[in-house]
Amino acid sequence: KNRFIRTLFRLGDAAHPTFTRLATEYLLLVKAADAGRERREQIYHYIQNEQTGRWDYVSSFLYYPTHAHDIPLHRLLHHQLPHLNLNARNASVSSKAAIPSFDGIKRSELYPELWDQAASDVLNLLANSQVAVIQHFAVRIYEDNPHFAAQITAAQLSKMFTLPFTKTNQIALAILQNNYAKFEAATSVFLAMLDCQLEVANRIAFDWMNARKTQLLTQLAVVLQLIQHNKKTVNNWIAMAIAASTSAQKASLFDKLLTHLLTQKTEESLDQLLGFMANHLQEVSTNCSPKQIKDLLHHDSTDLQLYAARLLKNHAQGIEHFPYEFLLCLMESEHPKVRAAGIELFGQLPETSLYEQQLAIVSFCVSPVAAVRAAVAPIALKISQQYTDFGQELTTTLCDVLLLRGKANAVHDSIADLLTQAPMQPFLKQLPSQLVWRLLRSKKFPAQQVGFVSLQAKSTPQSIDLAAILELGKHEWIDIRQWAFKAIQAQRAMVVYEAATSMSLLETDWEDSRTFMMNFMTQTFQARDWTPDILVRICDSTRPDVQAFGLQLMERYFKPENAIKFLLQLSQHPATNMQRRAASWLAEHASNNPTLIAQLQPFFITLLSQINKGRTAKNLVFDFLEKEALNSLAVAELVLPILERIVLTVAVVDKAKCILLLNRIRRKYPHLTMKLRASSRAKAAY
């Protein structure tokens, strides 16, 4: 910078014409924001009185103008100003008064003779500088050289009209009035005059535009500038001009504006333009092409998408004549306002069009957007009631969606809410039974809901078969299980008759189903219905509550003639309590019965081979075997191989009992052959 300043002033000293061009470039770099504030500084000093010889105390002022820190600026503009002080830090003016007076000083710049020959540079400053002190400098030079006006361009004149400097605006107006024919075709000049702070300039601009309305309406850039102007008077003028134009002119302008809108990347400048088009080009917008609407729908701007919805709503052809993808695009938008507009449009379609758009309605019913699903539901109900074939097809299609693989989500919930409403139940009633059971067996709760409503519509508790009832009684949804309970109550006789099948409900994982079935059997079954097979099968359950229920029944309905069968069946049960109960019946029902004891050999081996469990049952069995073996040689021959097998595997306590019992059998029946031999130590012990 310093080198540039030195070179600049050397060129001035040499009276080189390049001086003004470089000085202009420097002055245009000065920013109004860097001006700073004017300030004054009062200083005090002593001056010796020549007459009295005394020192008088006096004061003076230093005036610091704007841009005081810019030394080269003030050297260029105020070099010849009296009492100008330039130092390394700032520029100031010495004055005895608080406010310095510059009366009588017209020009004070450096090298004024060079500036008087630099018309293009002075006009450049007038058109482009935003700094007041530089504008004042350029105006003074121009006033001394009015012939500079011959070299001014339309672009420079336009800028002079828009600057916030009254004197500069007046010069521009004078130049225009004196050279009107030269600038009459310069549209930019008259549009700039609309921004001028001089009212007379505004009037001239409006007169010029009124004389050229038709021509201006064909120029998109001009129309855009007038529509988006910050003055209401300008906006009103273009609105009136468009209103007075022909339909063809309006249509052409609408197409141009729409093309312009589609090229915009931001929404900052769209609101005013869209509002203007909606208010003043509504007539021609009702006949816009589908392609134009499609382009608006696929634009990133929310405002343009909403405008597309407005065009669809007001179109002369009606919404029903446009592809349903247009509505789908609106209804699936991520912007709530756009979705709301699409939903509103869809609801305005005539019923005949909605009937033909079954695919669209299905698409909206399974839309990932909750608002879309909620909006289309009442429409789907209305059309289904009006057209039964539509409702049946819609129901079947949505049921198929529920059965697709994957986890349940909000879409499935919405489908279930729709299909389970009263108007849709006639269609659920017509669903094939196979489809209904697929829904009931689904892992998705919404599918189960639909299947259950369909089941209730198709069947009654009295009409459904037992196998289906039992399957429903094992369902994971409690409402379905409770419906199955009602069906069981309604078909008591069948359930009792098919007791062997019905009791499978006791094996379900759901406690309420097991409890219901146990209560039902207790209250409904008669003594004759409790056959040994039924009792044994109940006791044979692996569920503790069912086992307990079976034992209660067996004790209540026990018959001696069935004792052997019970013992044989329960002896094979893996549960300890069941084995203990069977062992407790041995003495009463198996005594003196070698045949039955032989059949119970697997039971004895299984029970006695258990480690650290079934102690009570083991003791009962040991006591029973000892008693029966010592009373009967035939039983002893049966018991002997059991004990010889058990003694090699069981715990110490049971091993001792086995050895003791074997020894007693050997003493009682010495002729029996045993595989085990007692050691000498064991013999000595005995």
Side-chain angles (χ1 to χ4, degrees):
K1 179 180 177 180
N2 292 335
R3 179 179 295 179
F4 173 82
I5 297 299
R6 289 195 300 269
T7 302
L8 174 64
F9 290 116
R10 285 173 184 171
L11 291 172
D13 293 340
H16 197 285
T18 310
F19 165 76
T20 56
R21 180 172 60 81
L22 294 180
T24 298
E25 292 181 3
Y26 179 81
L27 292 174
L28 289 177
L29 293 175
V30 179
K31 304 299 180 184
D34 300 331
R37 299 178 61 182
E38 295 180 338
R39 61 187 180 91
R40 293 166 179 81
E41 180 181 337
Q42 189 173 13
I43 57 177
Y44 302 92
H45 55 278
Y46 290 92
I47 298 178
Q48 189 176 22
N49 192 317
E50 296 180 354
Q51 297 178 355
T52 63
R54 300 178 60 182
W55 292 87
D56 296 332
Y57 181 70
V58 296
S59 66
S60 62
F61 295 89
L62 284 178
Y63 166 68
Y64 295 92
T66 58
H67 298 280
H69 62 283
D70 196 334
I71 306 303
L73 169 68
H74 290 283
R75 186 177 175 187
L76 286 170
L77 305 187
H78 303 134
H79 178 72
Q80 299 183 45
L81 194 67
H83 310 296
L84 176 67
N85 304 311
L86 299 175
N87 55 41
R89 297 182 60 185
N90 50 43
S92 62
V93 177
S94 300
S95 173
K96 292 182 179 180
I99 301 177
S101 175
F102 301 111
D103 295 339
I105 301 174
K106 187 174 182 182
R107 294 173 60 180
S108 59
E109 73 271 12
L110 185 64
Y111 310 123
E113 65 280 2
L114 295 179
W115 286 106
D116 289 339
Q117 301 174 19
S120 62
D121 294 327
V122 173
L123 294 174
N124 192 6
L125 290 174
L126 283 172
N128 296 297
S129 179
Q130 301 286 335
V131 180
V133 66
I134 298 176
Q135 278 289 327
H136 183 61
F137 157 72
V139 166
R140 286 180 300 177
I141 298 175
Y142 177 84
E143 289 175 340
D144 282 352
N145 300 278
H147 61 278
F148 284 0
Q151 300 184 36
I152 196 168
T153 64
Q156 290 174 329
L157 190 60
S158 300
K159 292 179 180 178
M160 289 173 64
F161 275 117
T162 60
L163 291 173
F165 305 111
T166 302
K167 196 66 177 176
T168 304
N169 300 152
Q170 291 172 344
I171 291 174
L173 183 60
I175 293 174
L176 176 70
Q177 291 173 329
N178 294 330
N179 301 273
Y180 191 85
K182 175 182 177 181
F183 297 106
E184 187 176 10
T187 304
S188 61
V189 173
F190 291 92
L191 293 181
M193 292 172 69
L194 294 172
D195 293 319
C196 185
Q197 58 186 346
L198 301 178
E199 292 186 7
V200 62
N202 299 156
R203 289 197 300 270
I204 293 173
F206 279 117
D207 291 341
W208 180 86
M209 291 191 301
N210 286 329
R212 294 165 177 78
K213 283 183 181 179
T214 304
Q215 178 185 351
L216 293 178
L217 289 178
T218 63
Q219 302 177 28
L220 178 63
V222 174
V223 174
L224 287 172
Q225 187 172 344
L226 297 177
I227 290 175
Q228 298 174 334
H229 203 276
N230 55 7
K231 288 185 178 179
K232 274 290 183 184
T233 53
V234 179
N235 304 146
N236 294 336
W237 184 91
I238 187 63
M240 294 176 62
I242 292 174
S245 62
T246 65
S247 297
Q249 291 173 329
K250 292 177 182 178
S252 175
L253 179 59
F254 176 81
D255 292 341
K256 291 178 181 179
L257 290 173
L258 209 57
T259 302
H260 170 75
L261 286 172
L262 292 171
T263 62
Q264 302 306 297
K265 300 297 182 182
T266 63
E267 300 187 13
E268 298 176 357
S269 60
L270 295 180
D271 289 345
Q272 187 176 7
L273 182 55
L274 287 172
F276 185 90
M277 293 175 66
N279 293 329
H280 303 290
L281 291 172
Q282 176 68 27
E283 176 187 346
V284 295
S285 68
T286 57
N287 291 304
C288 61
S289 68
K291 182 181 183 306
Q292 290 175 319
I293 296 178
K294 182 178 180 181
D295 292 340
L296 290 170
L297 287 172
H298 289 88
H299 198 277
D300 293 336
S301 168
T302 304
D303 289 339
L304 291 186
Q305 294 172 12
L306 288 172
Y307 186 60
R310 183 169 186 166
L311 293 177
L312 281 172
K313 180 179 180 179
N314 300 320
H315 204 279
Q317 294 184 5
I319 311 171
E320 63 273 15
H321 296 289
F322 288 89
Y324 82 90
E325 289 85 357
F326 286 11
L327 294 178
L328 185 63
C329 184
L330 289 169
M331 295 177 71
E332 293 189 344
S333 172
E334 61 181 7
H335 302 290
K337 290 184 179 180
V338 178
R339 288 201 303 270
I343 292 168
E344 180 184 358
L345 287 175
F346 188 77
Q348 293 175 359
L349 285 171
E351 290 185 357
T352 54
S353 298
L354 291 170
Y355 171 72
E356 296 171 357
Q357 295 293 345
Q358 179 178 330
L359 180 59
I361 292 180
V362 172
S363 300
F364 296 151
C365 286
V366 299
S367 170
V369 181
V372 174
R373 300 194 302 271
V376 80
I379 298 173
L381 290 173
K382 180 179 69 174
I383 303 302
S384 296
Q385 289 179 293
Q386 187 73 20
Y387 303 95
T388 56
D389 58 331
F390 177 93
Q392 190 60 54
E393 188 64 28
L394 176 66
T395 302
T396 304
T397 303
L398 293 180
C399 286
D400 290 339
V401 173
L402 288 175
L403 292 173
L404 293 176
R405 296 182 63 181
K407 294 182 178 180
N409 52 42
V411 174
H412 299 119
D413 292 335
S414 298
I415 293 175
D417 291 341
L418 172 63
L419 293 181
T420 54
Q421 294 191 43
M424 302 300 289
Q425 291 191 15
F427 307 117
L428 292 179
K429 186 176 182 179
Q430 298 176 28
L431 289 179
S433 297
Q434 184 180 4
L435 178 57
V436 174
W437 281 99
R438 287 181 62 199
L439 292 168
L440 289 169
R441 292 165 181 154
S442 173
K443 297 298 183 182
K444 300 174 186 173
F445 180 68
Q448 297 171 6
Q449 285 180 295
V450 174
F452 184 39
V453 173
S454 178
L455 176 69
Q456 291 175 299
K458 292 172 66 70
S459 309
T460 62
Q462 293 81 9
S463 64
I464 192 169
D465 63 83
L466 182 60
I469 294 174
L470 296 176
E471 181 176 350
L472 296 176
K474 300 174 184 178
H475 202 278
E476 63 180 347
W477 188 15
I478 187 171
D479 289 356
I480 295 180
R481 297 200 300 271
Q482 290 177 348
W483 192 85
F485 301 161
K486 294 179 182 178
I488 291 174
Q489 295 283 7
Q491 300 189 39
R492 289 172 176 266
M494 177 60 69
V495 174
V496 174
Y497 181 76
E498 297 288 347
T501 302
S502 304
M503 62 182 297
S504 64
L505 196 58
L506 295 173
E507 296 304 316
T508 181
D509 292 335
W510 305 104
E511 183 179 358
D512 60 333
S513 293
R514 299 197 304 271
T515 302
F516 167 80
M517 196 59 189
M518 287 187 284
N519 292 335
F520 175 82
M521 296 177 78
T522 301
Q523 297 168 7
T524 307
F525 280 40
Q526 303 296 322
R528 64 176 180 274
D529 299 320
W530 295 109
T531 64
D533 289 337
I534 297 297
L535 293 173
V536 169
R537 287 186 61 180
I538 295 175
C539 291
D540 203 35
S541 173
T542 58
R543 299 185 180 277
D545 56 340
V546 179
Q547 292 174 11
F549 175 64
L551 289 176
Q552 292 175 6
L553 293 174
M554 190 168 287
E555 291 178 353
R556 184 184 306 174
Y557 299 106
F558 183 83
K559 295 179 181 180
E561 60 269 24
N562 297 325
I564 296 177
K565 186 169 186 177
F566 289 157
L567 280 173
L568 289 174
Q569 293 289 341
L570 296 182
S571 65
Q572 302 174 25
H573 202 287
T576 304
N577 62 331
M578 301 301 291
Q579 294 175 353
R580 182 170 62 250
R581 185 60 57 92
S584 66
W585 288 345
L586 287 173
E588 184 177 353
H589 302 290
S591 298
N592 302 317
N593 192 340
T595 303
L596 178 58
I597 293 175
Q599 293 176 332
L600 293 174
Q601 278 184 311
F603 165 65
F604 298 140
I605 294 173
T606 300
L607 178 63
L608 297 177
S609 297
Q610 294 177 353
I611 305 298
N612 297 328
K613 59 187 295 188
R615 172 55 49 198
T616 303
K618 285 182 180 181
N619 292 337
L620 291 173
V621 169
F622 275 124
D623 293 342
F624 173 77
L625 292 178
E626 180 178 3
K627 177 182 177 183
E628 294 299 315
L630 295 179
N631 289 337
S632 170
L633 176 61
V635 175
E637 291 176 341
L638 294 172
V639 171
L640 190 61
I642 296 174
L643 297 176
E644 289 179 333
R645 177 176 177 177
I646 296 300
V647 74
L648 300 176
T649 59
V650 298
V652 175
V653 175
D654 295 333
K655 187 185 295 289
K657 288 188 176 183
C658 287
I659 293 173
L660 181 59
L661 182 53
L662 283 170
N663 189 52
R664 291 180 178 176
I665 293 174
R666 182 180 62 80
R667 291 183 178 180
K668 180 73 179 284
Y669 309 107
H671 62 283
L672 291 178
T673 303
M674 295 187 182
K675 296 180 180 179
L676 300 179
R677 293 288 183 268
S679 64
S680 57
R681 182 178 302 177
K683 291 179 179 179
Y686 287 102

